[in-house]
Amino acid sequence: MPEQPSLFEVDDVSRPLADRLRPRTLHDVVGQEHLLAAESPIGRMVDAQRLVSMVLWGPPGCGKTTIARLLAEQTNLAFEPLSATFSGVADLRKVFKAAQHRRELGQGTLLFVDEIHRFNRAQQDSFLPYVEDGTIVLVGATTENPSFELNGALLSRCQVFVLKRLDDAALGTLITRAEALLDRPLPLTDDARQALIAMADGDGRYLLNMIEQVQALPAPVDPATLAAAVQKRAPLYDKSQEGHYNLISALHKSMRGSDPDAALYWLARMLGGGEDPLFIARRITRFATEDIGMADPHAVQQALAAWDVYERLGSPEGELAIAQAVVYLATAPKSIGVYRGFNRARAAAKRTGSLMPPAHILNAPTRLMKDLGYGDGYQYDPDTETGFSGANYFPDGLPRETYYEPTTGGYERSITERLRHWAQLRDDGTEGRAEGAARG
């Protein structure tokens, strides 16, 4: 077996494997080369020995805490760790006071705040003067989108760096390092080794925790034995945070892009993460009206039917109805003609105010209303020769405007043809009335 790599401290087998394998330099951190390499943003700051306050945004187990600790070590800053879950204003005051004292002695302080998004707005504001005057270099770690969870004043004083989910190569490196530290290979078949990487789902800490469970199993461990011995990591999905919006966006855009396979994948991801199927049912019904509309008028019925079936059957049987609707919507012709047309009409209605309908299309249930011209000259369209009177239905004084512009795909193709035919009849009737007026 290879000798123990130099990146490890003197080993203490009583410590968890994830702690024993913590890198000793930024160069040893896996999967984040885009930030830590010599010519990358953080790498350049370390080389210049000048850090700025920053927020490290990334999924669990990607190295946020380790990077913060190493940044302090490699720039000779005192490392002050806090967890926003367990700390309050009193703890912050102690840290700020200690940092001010160190500054007077010529030493800087790196304040690392784990789960910084859990601090409320007032607590976040308390950082501002100390970040502003350089008393602390703030390094916040978060799994949530900073633009949603952190206030603008704090974000404007920090750079946000996005850490990546560990890929298979990075996780494979961690397995190799663990085997070197343990001084023996893991008792895994090749397939089980790949299954272990898949079960970690990009989380390096979770991978190392699983390795601790499997290292003592009798060889050979195949995928089935592995699955029975360790628990697969739950998918990273927070139904109330960014993961929720990212995956519904992915589902929506996959259906819009007419890709049923991708749409089914994102549907499965959402359901596997514990999303409420009724939320998905509502969203695909919205999709049917917004992105398909009149290109396939049956689409909304399919979505509503799936919603109804799920409410009757529940999970897991009712989820198949949602899947069927997702496939139908993904493969249906698309049109946002109604969506755009309605938005244009709303804008026009807001712009024109309280214009009255033309008198000829108003009902006249009283003599006074008849005397005022209500209903005068109204033509009943089914009684006309073409079934189309060509009358004006816009307010008097408002030029005719086109809001709904159907496509030439799906059912809207026939709608387009009818609208063109009616437009021609309307134009012919207008010209005829103009000629009659000229002769008169």
Side-chain angles (χ1 to χ4, degrees):
M1 288 299 296
E3 295 183 1
Q4 182 172 302
S6 62
L7 63 94
F8 305 131
E9 298 283 359
V10 175
D11 194 29
D12 176 0
V13 296
S14 67
R15 292 156 52 209
L17 183 60
D19 189 49
R20 294 159 64 192
L21 273 174
R22 281 192 186 277
R24 296 177 60 186
T25 70
L26 288 171
H27 176 73
D28 299 321
V29 176
V30 299
Q32 310 303 337
E33 292 80 5
H34 65 295
L35 296 177
L36 304 179
E39 297 304 317
S40 297
I42 295 179
R44 287 195 297 268
M45 283 191 278
V46 173
D47 186 59
Q49 291 291 290
R50 187 173 182 82
L51 297 182
V52 300
S53 292
M54 65 185 75
V55 175
L56 303 177
W57 173 27
C62 67
K64 297 184 291 295
T65 302
T66 296
I67 290 171
R69 188 179 298 275
L70 293 174
L71 285 175
E73 291 179 5
Q74 294 185 217
T75 56
N76 297 313
L77 297 175
F79 183 69
E80 285 275 10
L82 280 180
S83 171
T85 305
F86 303 109
S87 303
V89 174
D91 301 291
L92 291 174
R93 286 174 180 163
K94 291 178 183 178
V95 171
F96 296 148
K97 185 176 181 179
Q100 287 174 319
H101 179 65
R102 289 192 199 98
R103 193 180 189 190
E104 292 171 358
L105 299 176
Q107 185 182 22
T109 300
L110 187 151
L111 172 57
F112 173 66
V113 181
D114 196 19
E115 304 291 340
I116 192 172
H117 62 275
R118 295 189 182 277
F119 274 142
N120 61 36
R121 300 285 168 166
Q123 290 169 319
Q124 291 177 31
D125 285 341
S126 69
F127 292 110
L128 300 180
Y130 303 99
V131 171
E132 189 76 34
D133 67 8
T135 300
I136 61 169
V137 173
L138 175 64
V139 178
T142 180
T143 56
E144 304 298 339
N145 189 328
S147 61
F148 294 157
E149 303 297 334
L150 301 183
N151 65 38
L154 185 57
L155 278 178
S156 70
R157 291 163 173 81
C158 299
Q159 288 193 31
V160 176
F161 294 113
V162 181
L163 279 70
K164 296 178 179 178
R165 170 186 182 275
L166 298 189
D167 60 17
D168 288 358
L171 294 173
T173 298
L174 291 182
I175 294 178
T176 301
R177 290 181 181 178
E179 290 175 324
L181 183 63
L182 298 170
D183 199 28
R184 62 182 180 277
L186 295 177
L188 301 172
T189 65
D190 289 343
D191 288 344
R193 195 180 186 93
Q194 290 304 310
L196 184 70
I197 290 174
M199 292 169 75
D201 194 21
D203 187 328
R205 181 172 52 246
Y206 195 83
L207 173 70
L208 295 174
N209 290 341
M210 288 194 295
I211 289 175
E212 286 197 290
Q213 298 178 60
V214 304
Q215 61 173 318
L217 294 177
V221 174
D222 60 17
T225 305
L226 177 66
V230 299
Q231 179 64 45
K232 179 182 178 182
R233 181 184 182 278
L236 181 61
Y237 184 74
D238 189 331
K239 292 185 289 182
S240 64
Q241 300 295 333
E242 196 203 7
H244 165 83
Y245 297 106
N246 285 346
L247 266 62
I248 193 61
S249 175
L251 172 62
H252 195 122
K253 289 181 174 63
S254 297
M255 292 190 296
R256 180 183 290 161
S258 301
D259 190 335
D261 300 309
L264 285 173
Y265 171 80
W266 294 117
L267 172 65
R269 281 281 303 274
M270 295 184 76
L271 292 173
E275 182 59 78
D276 181 1
L278 291 176
F279 167 77
I280 301 174
R282 288 192 295 271
R283 287 298 297 252
I284 65 174
T285 302
R286 170 193 167 185
F287 177 89
T289 57
E290 180 178 323
D291 285 82
I292 297 175
M294 291 299 294
D296 183 352
H298 297 294
V300 69
Q301 297 302 324
Q302 289 288 326
L304 289 171
W307 191 340
D308 185 49
V309 168
Y310 180 81
E311 287 191 318
R312 291 171 183 269
L313 297 182
S315 291
E317 294 88 348
E319 293 171 6
L320 182 59
I322 297 177
Q324 177 178 322
V326 163
V327 170
Y328 187 98
L329 301 181
T331 55
K334 309 299 190 296
S335 170
I336 57 172
V338 174
Y339 177 75
R340 283 180 172 169
F342 184 50
N343 285 339
R344 290 167 182 158
R346 291 176 69 169
K350 184 176 181 179
R351 183 182 69 250
T352 57
S354 303
L355 295 177
M356 283 288 292
H360 71 92
I361 64 171
L362 298 178
N363 291 330
T366 69
R367 179 172 296 278
L368 173 62
M369 296 168 80
K370 290 179 181 178
D371 292 341
L372 292 173
Y374 282 28
D376 189 25
Y378 173 69
Q379 290 182 281
Y380 185 62
D381 288 74
D383 286 344
T384 63
E385 182 178 350
T386 61
F388 178 79
S389 68
N392 175 51
Y393 298 99
F394 276 89
D396 292 333
L398 178 63
R400 179 173 186 80
E401 297 178 342
T402 299
Y403 306 132
Y404 173 51
E405 296 179 351
T407 67
T408 58
Y411 182 74
E412 280 193 317
R413 178 178 300 174
S414 61
I415 296 176
T416 298
E417 293 173 357
R418 286 199 297 274
L419 288 175
R420 287 174 180 169
H421 175 64
W422 289 332
Q424 185 62 53
L425 290 177
R426 187 182 292 110
D427 291 342
D428 291 345
T430 301
E431 291 173 2
R433 287 192 293 272
E435 291 175 1
R439 287 195 299 270

